[in-house]
Structure formats: structure tokens, C-alpha cells
Amino acid sequence: MKSYFHLDMYAFFVSVEELFAPSLRGKPVVVGGRPNERGVVSAASYAARKFGVHSAMPLRTAYKLCPQAIFVDGHRERYVEYSHKVYEVLQKFSPRVEMASIDEAYLDLTGTERLLGPPLAAAHALHNAVREATDLNCSIGAASSRLVAKIASDQAKPHGILWIPPGREASFLAPLDVRKIPGVGKVTERNLHACGIRKIGDLARLDESFLEERFGKWGLALAGKARGEDAGAWFDGEIPETGEGGDPKSISHENTFSTDTADAGIIDAMLVRLSEMVARRLRDHRLYTRTVQIKLRYSDFATFTRSMTLDHATQIDTELAAAVRGLFHKAWTGKPIRLLGVYAQSLEAGEGQTSLLEENKTERWRKTLEAVDRIREKYGDTTVSLAAGLNAPFRARVHENPENLPGKDPRRKDDTHG
């Protein structure tokens, strides 16, 4: 029987801020920026959540709901540091760890009972180990599937442990709202409600044929999820060994300007900076992109995307930036820009054939960027940048996964054996 844990750090960003500023403890705290700025809430303390503040909410809305809250910009480098500390603890419990985000992870503990004891004992040991190493709390869900483990950890919040014994999955899920199923958002919830489906138990009682007819392949995945099975999208497949697999289907970064701009210099600098960030994550995963896409949103919220296929797959900053800037200037009408996004798609394991004339230059860039990435790894992602991107008024959204998410850099594994 499989045994999975899902670990979710307790109000992670806020909790890390409290380590450095204990005076914040117990107070309504909002991480993500100032209340008069554009942008969204990255995290809110439980004291702020009581007023209706939640992540992804516009900062200005959060201020209206809770004007007494303490708004902080956040410190991305601290969150990365503590995420790595958590990851190091997790690796001591299982060789199969998947960081789903900067503050949550899945572990496969199948076959570890002789070493770690039964699930509840192992969960308590893990909870204590994370607390000892980081001074932070977490919630842990344990079950025979990742999906049920994730839902269990959510039910165990803010910092509890919940184990669902094998055979009890369906009865645990049945009384919960369908929105508790990972992947069910507002639109799917509304469509399910229209069918009279409000609880997961309602969903489990339906025939798969009805769900497939109504929702297609997603309907079949929903049927499996309602039974407590790992089905559909991210839950297909196993948790890989550390440093193996788990590669993304696409990689992207976006920026919302604090003030709409039509300044071509600022826009170009931002496109270069976003391209650098995407390229860094491509190298982290040892992937190459064949298709590049941009997104631009004007001040009136009109939004457009443009894409192109490259003559060879790449992970080189300058090549990405050149393609991105070319796409943008063909599409831009000159109106003020509110948001820019850069996306790498059609990801491949190799770059394919390059021209002989370009190969020497590409090889020099590879060696240079390897050195640059090592510097960024040690001193921070903003320490080295292409000159064209230095003036970009970019501020990373702290809730986004960083370029060097723990366990996502295969080079880290190689270095330990060097």
C-alpha cells in the first residue's frame, strides 16, 4: 500500500517575516506590497484573514477590508532560504520529494515503516524536525494517495496532522465541498453546482459516463478524485527521485508595472529581465524552449499574446531576449503598457542543430551563463544581469516560485557527487 505525505508550511511568508520581526506576531499582516500599490496579496496572517483578506486579492482591496493591517513588501531571498531548509529536512525522511511550490511538498514514504514507524509516528517526527530546523510550523496530511494527503493537510491547518487510513478515503472526502478537490476552481464549482453536485460524495455517486459526457476527460479525472485516487494533470505519475523528472510543461514570468508606461527603454529593459528569469529556470531544469510567447496588457486591460517558433531550441538569455523583443515591437501599438509576460513553451531536452557559425558563440554563452548562475545561486538572482535589463523596474512577486526552487535544479545533485 502506498503512503504519501503532503506538507504545507503554516502561513509561510508571514511566519518567516515574524522570525525577523517578532513584533508582528499575532497582528494582522499582509505580505506583497504597500496598500496604495498595484499588485496582489502574497500572504496574509490568520489575524488578517479574519477580515476577509486572502492571497491573490488586490492590495487596495485588502486595505479596505483591514486598514489596520501591517503591509510589508516581503523578502523573497528569505523565503527561498527557508524553503531550502525545509527541503533538506524532507530529504532525510524520503528520497522521493516533490516541491509543489516554495512552501509545500509531497513525500513518498512507501516502505519506510521499519525505519520511521507507522504514518502517524512518522508525521509527528517530520513535524518536529521541520520545527526544530526552521522554527516554523506546518500541517501534514498522510494518505494512500497524494490527492487525499493534500486535502488532509488542508483540513489539518493551521499546524496539525491528519492521517486517513487506507479504505477510509471515500468516507473522509464525502462530506467535503467539491471546491476542496485540487483543480476545481470557481468555474468548475459553478458547473458542478448546476448539476446538483455540492459535496464530493455527490460527485462520487455519479456514473463516470455522465461526467465524461458533461466535462470530457476532466470529468473522468473528477470521478477518480472523488474516490480518493490520484487522477488527472499533476497527479498522473509518481513522485520522482530527487533531481529526476518533474519537469514543467512551460515556464513563464510576468510583471505588472506600478505605473502604466509607454517608455520604450523601460519596456525593453523589462522584456530582457523577464527573458533572463525564464532562461535561468530553463537551465535549472536542463530544458530548452522551441516556442516563445509574450503577453502584453494595455492600460485599458485589453490583453494580447503573440508567439513564434525558433529555428532551434534554446536556453540562452540573449537569444530569448532577442526573440521576445522582436515579437513585442511587431505587436505594440505604442499605447501605455500595464503588464508584460514572457513564456517558454514546447520545451525539449536538447537544443537541436545550430549553425556552425553560431556554435562557437553559443558555447561561449553557455560557459558564461554557467558561471553567472553559480554567482546568482550564492549571492542572489539579481546580482548579475544583462546590461539591457539593468534598468527594469522589476519587483518579483514573492508568491511566485523562484528560479532556484529546492529540488528543481538537477545541477545541485551533480555537484554533490563532484
Side-chain angles (χ1 to χ4, degrees), residues 107-175:
L107 296 83
D108 185 346
L109 275 80
T110 306
T112 64
E113 283 205 11
R114 285 188 177 181
L115 180 64
L116 301 174
L120 267 180
H124 279 286
L126 177 58
H127 195 283
N128 292 337
V130 169
R131 175 73 180 176
E132 184 176 338
T134 65
D135 205 25
L136 300 172
N137 281 316
C138 63
S139 64
I140 298 175
S144 60
S145 71
R146 282 174 289 166
L147 177 132
V148 176
K150 180 175 174 62
I151 296 174
S153 73
D154 184 65
Q155 294 297 105
K157 288 180 178 179
H159 44 74
I161 294 169
L162 181 58
W163 173 50
I164 309 303
R168 299 293 300 276
E169 296 87 355
S171 59
F172 162 67
L173 295 173

Side-chain angles (χ1 to χ4, degrees), residues 118-381:
L120 267 180
H124 279 286
L126 177 58
H127 195 283
N128 292 337
V130 169
R131 175 73 180 176
E132 184 176 338
T134 65
D135 205 25
L136 300 172
N137 281 316
C138 63
S139 64
I140 298 175
S144 60
S145 71
R146 282 174 289 166
L147 177 132
V148 176
K150 180 175 174 62
I151 296 174
S153 73
D154 184 65
Q155 294 297 105
K157 288 180 178 179
H159 44 74
I161 294 169
L162 181 58
W163 173 50
I164 309 303
R168 299 293 300 276
E169 296 87 355
S171 59
F172 162 67
L173 295 173
L176 303 179
D177 291 338
V178 289
R179 188 68 181 271
K180 289 289 186 178
I181 297 176
V184 172
K186 291 181 179 179
V187 174
T188 302
E189 180 185 39
R190 188 163 56 246
N191 291 336
L192 290 170
H193 284 180
C195 299
I197 304 167
R198 294 188 171 274
K199 304 294 183 181
I200 297 178
D202 300 333
L203 187 60
R205 284 189 287 271
L206 293 174
D207 290 335
E208 287 192 4
S209 57
F210 170 81
L211 290 170
E212 183 178 20
E213 181 181 344
R214 191 69 183 256
F215 300 101
K217 289 183 178 180
W218 176 230
L220 292 177
L222 281 174
K225 290 172 187 283
R227 295 190 295 267
E229 301 169 4
D230 286 333
W234 195 91
F235 291 103
D236 285 334
E238 288 295 320
I239 297 175
E241 290 272 2
T242 300
E244 298 177 359
D247 290 328
K249 302 300 181 185
S250 65
I251 290 173
S252 65
H253 277 286
E254 295 181 352
N255 178 76
T256 300
F257 291 101
S258 57
T259 304
D260 298 342
T261 182
D263 186 316
I266 290 176
I267 292 171
D268 272 343
M270 183 60 67
L271 291 170
V272 171
R273 179 74 183 102
L274 294 172
S275 298
E276 283 186 299
M277 296 172 70
V278 169
R280 166 71 191 279
R281 288 179 61 196
L282 284 169
R283 292 192 295 275
D284 281 353
H285 289 278
R286 290 185 174 176
L287 292 173
Y288 300 78
T289 180
R290 172 73 68 172
T291 302
V292 176
Q293 178 177 292
I294 63 165
K295 178 165 77 173
L296 58 153
R297 179 171 296 151
Y298 292 110
S299 53
D300 61 0
F301 285 87
T303 305
F304 301 90
T305 60
R306 298 290 185 271
S307 62
M308 67 177 292
T309 300
L310 307 174
D311 57 9
H312 69 277
T314 186
Q315 56 177 209
I316 302 296
D317 300 25
T318 51
E319 294 179 353
L320 273 180
V324 162
R325 291 164 83 178
L327 273 174
F328 175 80
H329 285 289
K330 285 181 181 178
W332 186 33
T333 64
K335 295 192 301 183
I337 297 291
R338 178 185 179 87
L339 175 147
L340 287 174
V342 172
Y343 301 76
Q345 301 170 330
S346 303
L347 306 186
E348 302 175 2
E351 62 185 328
Q353 183 65 46
T354 58
S355 71
L356 293 176
L357 293 176
E358 293 293 319
E359 178 56 32
N360 287 338
K361 183 173 74 172
T362 300
E363 182 60 28
R364 288 196 299 272
W365 267 112
R366 286 195 202 102
K367 292 180 179 179
T368 299
L369 291 170
E370 284 177 6
V372 166
D373 287 346
R374 285 195 292 270
I375 294 171
R376 288 169 173 166
E377 182 74 24
K378 187 172 183 179
Y379 298 107
D381 296 318

